[in-house]
Amino acid sequence: MTKKAVVSQLREHDKYDRLLAATRGLQPLPTAVAHPCDESSLRGVLDAASARLIVPILVGPKAKIKAVAEKFGLDISGHEIVDAPHSQAAAELAVELVRKGVAELLMKGSLHSDELLGAVAKRETGLRTGRRISHVFVMDVPNHAETLFITDAAVNIFPDLMAKRDIVQNAIDLYAGLGLGTPKVAILSAVETINPGIPSTIEAAALCKMADRGQITGGIVDGPLAFDNAISPEAARIKGIDSPVAGHAQILVVPDLEAGNMLAKNLTFLSRADAAGIVLGARVPVILTSRADNLRTRMASCAVAMLLAHNRRAKEPVRA
């Protein structure tokens, strides 16, 4: 086999293909896009609209959005633009459009994530629920059989136990909401045994007991597990770990943001994985893309949000 063929084989992202295929026939959802004021964010929005994943409402400085579109030859005719003077105002106005029911999804443009999530998290004017807001990377890793959900690698820096409970539940609900069934959830640490000197092992044990007692539902939860024996059946066998999760984890819950961010970026840059990003725990899914994301990742992020929103819509009670 040639080197080119090997690379091609490694880059077959069939998991994302299945994800995008699941959106076919579904109605694209109105999406408030906060401050799409550079080429990559605006182009990503238009590509997602062309794929019938979203119906974008562009929120930001109208003159700047039009100037970017003209400079890079992007056709924004037919797409609504809601004028806002700057990025912070765009974030707040995009959130307001969701609160009013004009938009069903929220998407990050070229503003900083903190600006958008700050508007989402405001008590009086945001999109808070009773659940902690958290981020999930939905990762398509070449030559790994499972789609890997990694959480939280972008929002909660050092979450406490109750925040981690919400982080775990958000990820389980996402997995089920995408029609993937009951997930196997690994609570990661450096080791797979309880060690008082490693606080994440204690929290992992507590989270497992919370799952036993119904404080976390919908998934099979085990931990602490080290990364190797969470995803490798051989590593789990060698270490003698008898667990339905060990070696077959689909959701990886990291100890803190630093660990999760490094894990996700290692997979992205060393294993050439794609990492779709979504924020959960708000009233609607928030599509959180990065300027470094490629087209496939941006599309997958929109597809994840769209499928989840449609799933929630189907479960809403019929009003008389």
Side-chain angles (χ1 to χ4, degrees):
M1 184 180 293
T2 67
K3 182 177 180 181
K4 183 176 180 181
V6 171
V7 172
S8 176
Q9 184 180 36
L10 287 172
R11 294 296 291 159
E12 286 182 357
H13 289 291
D14 57 333
K15 306 174 195 72
Y16 276 8
D17 289 340
R18 291 194 296 270
L19 185 67
L20 291 165
T23 67
R24 292 173 190 156
L26 294 177
Q27 177 184 353
L29 298 177
T31 302
V33 185
H35 206 256
C37 293
D38 66 2
E39 181 192 5
S40 63
S41 62
L42 189 55
R43 189 181 295 278
V45 168
L46 297 178
D47 287 338
S50 296
R52 293 186 52 78
L53 296 172
I54 63 173
V55 178
I57 304 169
L58 309 176
V59 186
K62 183 178 291 187
K64 189 171 184 179
I65 292 172
K66 287 184 174 180
V68 170
E70 183 177 353
K71 178 178 180 180
F72 295 102
L74 303 175
D75 183 8
I76 59 173
S77 62
H79 296 303
E80 181 181 359
I81 302 177
V82 178
D83 195 28
H86 47 70
S87 59
Q88 186 60 51
E92 293 173 357
L93 189 50
V95 166
E96 184 181 345
L97 292 175
V98 174
R99 286 176 61 89
K100 290 180 175 179
V102 176
E104 293 186 56
L105 298 174
L106 184 63
M107 185 173 182
K108 175 180 175 286
S110 57
L111 76 175
H112 197 279
S113 298
D114 287 349
E115 286 186 284
L116 183 59
L117 296 180
V120 169
K122 285 187 175 179
R123 290 190 177 277
E124 300 299 325
T125 59
L127 301 172
R128 293 170 66 114
T129 66
R131 191 81 64 78
R132 182 70 168 254
I133 291 173
S134 64
H135 180 273
V136 177
F137 276 124
V138 180
M139 304 206 68
D140 191 342
V141 184
N143 286 359
H144 184 72
E146 300 283 357
T147 302
L148 291 178
F149 288 45
I150 297 177
T151 190
D152 179 346
V155 173
N156 295 283
I157 300 174
F158 294 112
D160 61 19
L161 180 62
M162 295 311 294
K164 284 186 177 180
R165 189 216 77 88
D166 283 358
I167 288 169
V168 173
Q169 192 65 65
N170 283 343
I172 290 173
D173 292 349
L174 172 62
Y175 193 94
L178 295 180
L180 299 175
T182 301
K184 297 178 175 68
V185 183
I187 314 298
L188 295 185
S189 184
V191 295
E192 63 278 355
T193 54
I194 306 298
N195 184 336
I198 306 177
S200 59
T201 66
I202 306 295
E203 289 191 340
L207 289 166
C208 291
K209 185 52 65 177
M210 292 170 86
D212 290 343
R213 296 290 187 265
Q215 291 174 272
I216 297 171
T217 61
I220 304 168
V221 182
D222 193 17
L225 290 170
F227 178 75
D228 58 346
N229 49 59
I231 65 166
S232 167
E234 180 66 9
R237 184 191 66 78
I238 290 171
K239 293 194 174 183
I241 302 172
D242 183 15
S243 161
V245 175
H248 304 282
Q250 294 143 333
I251 296 175
L252 304 176
V253 182
V254 298
D256 53 45
L257 184 145
E258 289 178 319
N261 192 271
M262 285 185 272
L263 173 58
K265 287 181 178 176
N266 276 336
L267 291 173
T268 299
F269 288 95
L270 295 181
S271 298
R272 299 188 178 275
D274 282 338
I278 186 169
V279 170
L280 307 165
R283 293 188 194 179
V284 300
V286 181
I287 304 164
L288 204 68
T289 56
S290 166
R291 284 174 294 179
D293 287 345
N294 59 35
L295 172 60
R296 191 178 196 84
T297 297
R298 290 177 184 274
M299 291 290 201
S301 297
C302 292
V304 168
M306 178 190 184
L307 290 169
L308 184 60
H310 272 286
N311 179 275
R312 290 179 177 178
R313 181 193 281 183
K315 290 183 177 180
E316 288 179 354
V318 177
R319 296 178 182 176

